[in-house]
Amino acid sequence: MFNLISGFLRPNSGEIMFNGQQIQGLKPYHIAAKGMSRTFQHIKLFPKMTILENVMIGRHVHSKSEFIAGMLNLPWTRREEMRIKEKAMEILAFLGISDMADTEATSLAYGQQRMVELARALACEPRLLLLDEPAAGLNMRETAEMGRLITKIRDSGITVLIVEHDMSLVMNISDEIVVLSYGQKIADDVPLAIQKDSEVIRVYLGEEND
Amino acid sequence: MGNKKYIQTIGFAAAVVSIQIITYFSATGYFLTQLTMSGYYSIVVIGLCLLMGYAGQISIGHAGFFAMGGYITAVLTTFNFSPFVKNTLISLFSKTGILIARQDLYGGQILSFHPLFACAGAVIFTIVVAYIIGGPVLKLKGHYLAMATLGLGTIIYKIVIGTTILGEADGISDVPAFTLIPGLLEVSGKPSMRIQNYYFAWGLVIISMVFVLNLIDSRVGRALRSIHGAEDASNAMGVDTAKYKLHTFVLSAALAAMAGVFLTHFNGGIGPSEASIMKSVRYVAIVAVGGMANLWGALIMGALLNFFSMRGYFGTLDDAVFGGILILIMLFAPEGLLKTELFKVKRKNFQSAEKSGEV
């Protein structure tokens, strides 16, 4: 699902609308430039790069130095680099992980790596943030912290779309939940209503036998 | 970060100057010839290091691009265009000074391209070829990319060895001097120009080095390293991975072609061995010994190994030595010679000293 929306897979039919534009068939980098950013279920940080550098990649769509400017290290390129760095530090501070800025990304614990992925996606300043199982592999304390951060991101004005089956996270932070079963939508409502939905209960918890 | 890079560059330039001074006082000026050649090969290594070490894309066909530059400049500056002077394009070239008359080795008058235009033509042609081939080839990954670039190198070698105008197995000789500043600087094998050529070659190395060092510290360099690390994630962050890989491939091909052009003028000719697969393997081996993502390592190893090779220190086992080096490095020091245990210990000591404020 996320791979279709973010352009990693090409849909066989149908259309995907984002901000009033069709985006099916576009390459991922193109969709990212349109204001959609994502994380991965299996963490995909850039190894051999620091946390700060990982997050700075997120600023790629908001900067424009190319080969020639980079090779000549022009003054405006240097200024742009400074701005990229400042913004990346700002995002690390927002998520409370500034102290790890110079650590190599892959040397972190799993939960922290998820946090860096989130920071990197946020650095794109997306309108829509896709989080692919953000609680996967996290313990309860880390999940709660992740939930708190996602709420904070939502409150800053970014739409967050989450695929997740950790119910404690989903029920606590969602405004609206869509339930899928084998690719078919079976429910779409606020958390409380979802909890009472008979179809959802039948599919996910099983039927009561009379 | 920025300053360190310039200090290293100045240090390197100082080393280049001191080597020349040493050869002057020790009456070993003849070393400069091989050092100059080794400088040109180092330019290929710098470009390949950017492509392999930073963007993570292997090429076992870079000797092909080097040869392409060299052969095109050789053909354009030695082929006699005077029988075609009735052709409007040729006569236009001749009138505008793009084609110039000169004497060949046997005293005959020939009309051929001015080296400046031959050089530009060679580099531009290589860029175009790299663009056309790079597009589809760089969609491949890992072993498949290695195979495809190997195929590219083989094709270029076979073309060179099977084409009459390229001199077949004999190559092309009598390539004229490339005069850059009349009387002061010409790229040729003349003993009187030996010192100038040494500085010109290593000047080009340093300029290429500064450009590439700047590039890897920039937004583009960061994007390249991210492609190397996790291409999917890089794409999702808005990096046009296909474009960046292609541009890097083209840039490194252009550096190789430029080196090929100047070395051909310096040697006064070029032969098919420059296009051979063993040359490509040699470049890959040097980048690996240097530590893949380590430009200075690659540059220094490139300079040393090529110099030893051309002085004949490896004897008839020349190619075997480079093949052997590649195997040994991959087995025992995949991160390059400078990152082996021996050097690591020193570095750690240095770092801990730095932290406690002793340095």
Side-chain angles (χ1 to χ4, degrees):
Chain A
M1 177 72 142
F2 267 19
N3 282 341
L4 283 173
I5 299 177
S6 59
F8 280 92
L9 295 174
R10 192 180 272 269
N12 290 327
S13 63
E15 38 184 57
I16 303 168
M17 299 292 287
F18 177 57
N19 259 330
Q21 289 172 303
Q22 291 195 359
I23 57 165
Q24 75 273 11
L26 292 182
K27 290 268 192 293
Y29 72 87
H30 207 152
I31 294 175
K34 287 185 181 296
M36 192 191 294
S37 185
R38 68 168 290 178
T39 63
F40 293 87
Q41 184 186 349
H42 301 288
I43 296 176
K44 287 185 179 173
L45 288 178
F46 305 123
K48 293 181 185 171
M49 289 170 74
T50 65
I51 306 295
L52 181 64
E53 284 174 320
N54 265 271
V55 178
M56 283 166 85
I57 290 284
R59 297 303 295 164
H60 192 86
V61 290
H62 294 287
S63 44
K64 53 182 193 296
S65 297
E66 286 292 340
F67 278 80
I68 307 272
M71 282 195 278
L72 298 175
N73 198 13
L74 300 171
W76 69 264
T77 322
R78 283 201 293 269
R79 283 197 297 274
E80 185 179 81
E81 254 328 82
M82 292 292 287
R83 280 200 303 276
I84 292 173
K85 204 169 177 176
E86 276 166 24
K87 187 72 192 179
M89 285 307 290
E90 217 172 85
I91 284 156
L92 290 179
F94 179 79
L95 296 178
I97 49 175
S98 319
D99 51 328
M100 303 193 289
D102 295 324
T103 321
E104 207 171 276
T106 40
S107 68
L108 293 178
Y110 197 78
Q112 291 172 319
Q113 292 199 15
R114 281 228 174 273
M115 215 62 106
V116 177
E117 258 218 335
L118 187 61
R120 188 178 67 184
L122 272 182
C124 295
E125 288 186 90
R127 290 154 179 260
L128 176 62
L129 178 60
L130 309 178
L131 302 181
D132 199 350
E133 305 207 11
L138 301 191
N139 62 32
M140 276 174 68
R141 196 181 52 79
E142 287 169 332
T143 305
E145 169 70 6
M146 184 57 82
R148 198 183 58 75
L149 283 174
I150 294 172
T151 314
K152 200 170 159 191
I153 292 165
R154 195 262 326 257
D155 292 342
S156 74
I158 296 170
T159 310
V160 184
L161 181 61
I162 303 174
V163 168
E164 182 59 73
H165 36 234
D166 183 311
M167 282 308 124
S168 64
L169 181 71
V170 172
M171 289 300 166
N172 277 325
I173 63 171
S174 305
D175 297 316
E176 196 184 343
I177 298 175
V178 174
V179 186
L180 296 179
S181 168
Y182 293 103
Q184 297 296 318
K185 186 159 100 172
I186 57 170
D188 177 359
D189 216 326
V190 295
L192 275 176
I194 293 286
Q195 283 174 356
K196 296 191 184 104
D197 190 290
S198 59
E199 179 67 4
V200 174
I201 293 172
R202 191 185 68 75
V203 170
Y204 280 89
L205 300 176
E207 280 174 275
E208 273 180 64
N209 288 323
D210 292 316
Chain B
M1 187 171 78
N3 281 334
K4 191 181 154 204
K5 170 171 82 188
Y6 293 115
I7 291 169
Q8 283 170 334
T9 311
I10 292 166
F12 186 76
V16 168
V17 175
S18 0
I19 288 172
Q20 190 268 317
I21 293 171
I22 291 168
T23 58
Y24 181 79
F25 284 108
S26 60
T28 47
Y30 50 86
F31 278 149
L32 292 183
T33 306
Q34 285 81 31
L35 284 169
T36 306
M37 292 164 72
S38 144
Y40 289 128
Y41 288 127
S42 299
I43 294 176
V44 186
V45 169
I46 292 172
L48 192 61
C49 182
L50 174 71
L51 182 68
M52 279 176 55
Y54 292 90
Q57 311 299 314
I58 194 169
S59 168
I60 317 184
H62 257 54
F65 293 121
F66 179 91
M68 206 180 280
Y71 266 101
I72 292 170
T73 201
V75 167
L76 292 181
T77 53
T78 56
F79 187 79
N80 186 6
F81 286 91
S82 51
F84 309 102
V85 82
K86 293 224 166 65
N87 182 309
T88 22
L89 191 66
I90 299 292
S91 76
L92 184 74
F93 279 177
S94 160
K95 276 178 195 134
T96 47
I98 295 174
L99 284 168
I100 50 166
R102 66 177 180 91
Q103 275 196 333
D104 70 5
L105 206 56
Y106 313 104
Q109 279 291 319
I110 67 163
L111 187 67
S112 59
F113 272 82
H114 189 289
L116 191 64
F117 296 101
C119 167
V123 174
I124 290 167
F125 184 83
T126 309
I127 287 175
V128 171
V129 170
Y131 248 108
I132 294 169
I133 292 172
V137 161
L138 288 166
K139 286 192 179 135
L140 303 170
K141 290 189 172 68
H143 301 71
Y144 301 99
L145 178 63
M147 296 296 276
T149 52
L150 183 69
L152 171 67
T154 313
I155 291 168
I156 295 173
Y157 179 64
K158 288 294 172 190
I159 289 176
V160 160
I161 213 157
T163 311
T164 318
I165 198 176
L166 299 179
E168 294 173 349
D170 294 332
I172 298 175
S173 54
D174 192 27
V175 175
F178 186 168
T179 309
L180 290 156
I181 307 167
L184 276 179
L185 175 62
E186 59 173 59
V187 179
S188 73
K190 277 187 204 142
S192 62
M193 285 286 164
R194 197 153 60 194
I195 293 173
Q196 288 92 322
N197 268 291
Y198 170 80
Y199 278 112
F200 178 71
W202 285 96
L204 275 184
V205 171
I206 290 171
I207 293 170
S208 311
M209 195 69 183
V210 169
F211 281 173
V212 174
L213 282 171
N214 279 339
L215 186 68
I216 59 172
D217 273 350
S218 75
R219 168 177 178 266
V220 174
R222 192 165 48 239
L224 292 180
R225 284 183 291 149
S226 79
I227 293 172
H228 193 177
E231 196 170 333
D232 276 356
S234 179
N235 210 327
M237 288 302 115
V239 178
D240 185 347
T241 48
K243 183 185 89 176
Y244 277 74
K245 286 195 289 185
L246 179 59
H247 285 191
T248 310
F249 184 71
V250 171
L251 176 64
S252 73
L255 282 173
M258 180 185 80
V261 166
F262 286 114
L263 186 59
T264 300
H265 283 288
F266 179 67
N267 283 344
I270 185 168
S273 73
E274 290 300 348
S276 74
I277 293 304
M278 273 322 293
K279 269 280 156 71
S280 291
V281 170
R282 170 179 299 205
Y283 297 131
V284 172
I286 288 168
V287 173
V289 182
M292 288 294 185
N294 183 346
L295 276 167
W296 287 112
L299 175 58
I300 291 164
M301 288 302 164
L304 282 178
L305 291 175
N306 274 314
F307 176 70
F308 291 154
S309 158
M310 278 175 298
R311 289 299 304 173
Y313 292 169
F314 304 141
T316 48
L317 295 174
D318 207 27
D319 283 341
V321 166
F322 281 93
I325 286 174
L326 193 55
I327 294 174
L328 290 175
I329 286 293
M330 287 300 140
L331 278 176
F332 301 112
E335 297 205 31
L337 208 56
L338 298 173
K339 286 208 175 152
T340 49
E341 287 307 314
L342 183 74
F343 287 93
K344 232 177 223 167
V345 175
K346 280 185 192 160
R347 189 171 296 187
K348 258 183 203 152
N349 288 342
F350 181 71
Q351 272 172 353
S352 56
E354 203 171 27
K355 267 181 195 149
S356 60
E358 287 167 28
V359 176

